Amino acid sequence: DNQSYFATYTLEQPRDSKSYRHIYFACFFVLYVLIFFLNSWLIVVIVLERALHEPMYIFLCNLCMNGIYGATGFYPKFLHDLIVDSYVIPSYMCALQAFVIYTSVICEYCTLAVMAYDRHVAICRPLDYHTKLNRFACSMLLTFCWIVPVIMIIINVSLSNRLALCKYHIDKLFCDNWSMVKLSCETTVTNNIYGFAVISLVFVLFGFIIVSYIKLAVACKASLECRRKFWQTCVPHLFSLINFSVAMLFDTMYSRYGSSDFPENLRHFLALEIIIVPPLFNPVIYGLKLKEIRKRLLKPFNDIIKISG
């Protein structure tokens, strides 16, 4: 008798939102603009510079596009909530937000795995590089990065939407699949099994990336040129992987096992770290570390300095 269907969910309100919502709005707006600007700038540089039309930079471009895509799943809705001071979301929008954020998460891992494969071939089998990573192969790898996440998260969200609900409050600032599942009165065994299957895929991708880099590190020991290439092109990938994996671990642990007894600020940090840090961190670390990218990113500033001088 208690089962009912709610057309809307309520989301967690930021602490002291009545008093500080304008400050929150300014901070999150700046974050979103930075994410959009930094990732877009990197994308534009890669697209316009023919010298960067190589598989490594194409996959990096995909990583930046994914960062904008994932951030757009959260920031516009949250900024709107802060403006109107109302933290309510229709069920279909909640499902869409969960879909966007978590396709972005899986796409990030798939892209990092593809980038690890690219570096493995480039450093360990340089003579086969342009054969193995030709235009068709790159297209297939990019398709893999998007099709697999889309199919997996469509199934995930569909399994959640079929459940009857007893509650309607999501204890986070945004919708995620597991939070919606926890509102159900029904058995969630199928959702649990499928959720662990998704997590297992992430672990497989993580393992593939780590094994690839271990093999790369071993292969590069014998050659100074290989070691230089490894440090220049692979270290940013490792930083991205570690940063994103920590964020993913926080989000998964918080969603499934987080307690309301956690300090509120810590709960919000654990929930938002996956949305804030990776899309802001990736363009900065790649822009600073990769010489070809850094040179072209800084070119407009160098031209301005020369003109003014």
Side-chain angles (χ1 to χ4, degrees), residues 8-197:
T8 60
Y9 297 101
T10 58
L11 299 170
E12 184 80 357
Q13 294 187 27
R15 186 176 182 181
D16 298 324
S17 60
K18 296 284 184 187
S19 305
Y20 300 113
R21 64 193 179 96
H22 295 100
I23 296 173
Y24 290 145
F25 179 88
C27 291
F28 279 93
F29 180 75
V30 168
L31 276 174
Y32 184 46
V33 168
L34 275 174
I35 288 170
F36 194 90
F37 174 73
L38 291 173
N39 284 280
S40 298
W41 192 7
L42 212 55
I43 291 167
V44 168
V45 167
I46 292 170
V47 169
L48 294 182
E49 291 285 345
R50 292 186 62 84
L52 299 179
H53 292 182
E54 294 287 332
M56 180 176 73
Y57 300 112
I58 292 169
F59 298 140
L60 174 57
C61 187
N62 188 65
L63 196 70
C64 293
M65 289 173 63
N66 182 58
I68 295 172
Y69 167 72
T72 303
F74 168 72
Y75 286 93
K77 172 66 175 74
F78 185 60
L79 292 171
H80 171 267
D81 289 348
L82 289 170
I83 289 173
V84 300
D85 197 27
S86 175
Y87 304 88
V88 175
I89 185 168
S91 55
Y92 68 90
M93 284 294 295
C94 194
L96 178 62
Q97 186 176 57
F99 170 81
V100 170
I101 289 173
Y102 286 95
T103 49
S104 173
V105 167
I106 305 298
C107 181
E108 183 107 358
Y109 265 110
C110 290
T111 306
L112 289 173
V114 165
M115 292 171 84
Y117 171 71
D118 167 79
R119 291 299 84 204
H120 184 271
V121 176
I123 294 174
C124 296
R125 304 184 67 180
L127 297 178
D128 297 332
Y129 183 69
H130 290 290
T131 304
K132 285 185 171 292
L133 283 156
N134 54 35
R135 184 174 295 182
F136 177 76
C138 288
S139 301
M140 289 297 98
L141 289 171
L142 289 173
T143 302
F144 162 78
C145 290
W146 286 99
I147 292 296
V148 170
V150 166
I151 292 173
M152 293 187 72
I153 304 303
I154 282 178
I155 296 171
N156 214 356
V157 172
S158 300
L159 287 173
S160 303
N161 283 347
R162 69 182 176 79
L163 298 172
L165 304 176
C166 290
K167 296 175 284 184
Y168 63 93
H169 179 69
I170 292 175
D171 195 27
K172 289 178 81 169
L173 298 173
F174 62 93
C175 293
D176 75 281
N177 186 68
W178 189 248
S179 294
M180 292 189 286
V181 170
K182 289 194 293 187
L183 303 179
S184 172
C185 319
E186 299 182 43
T187 177
T188 59
V189 173
T190 305
N191 299 77
N192 277 325
I193 293 171
Y194 188 78
F196 282 117

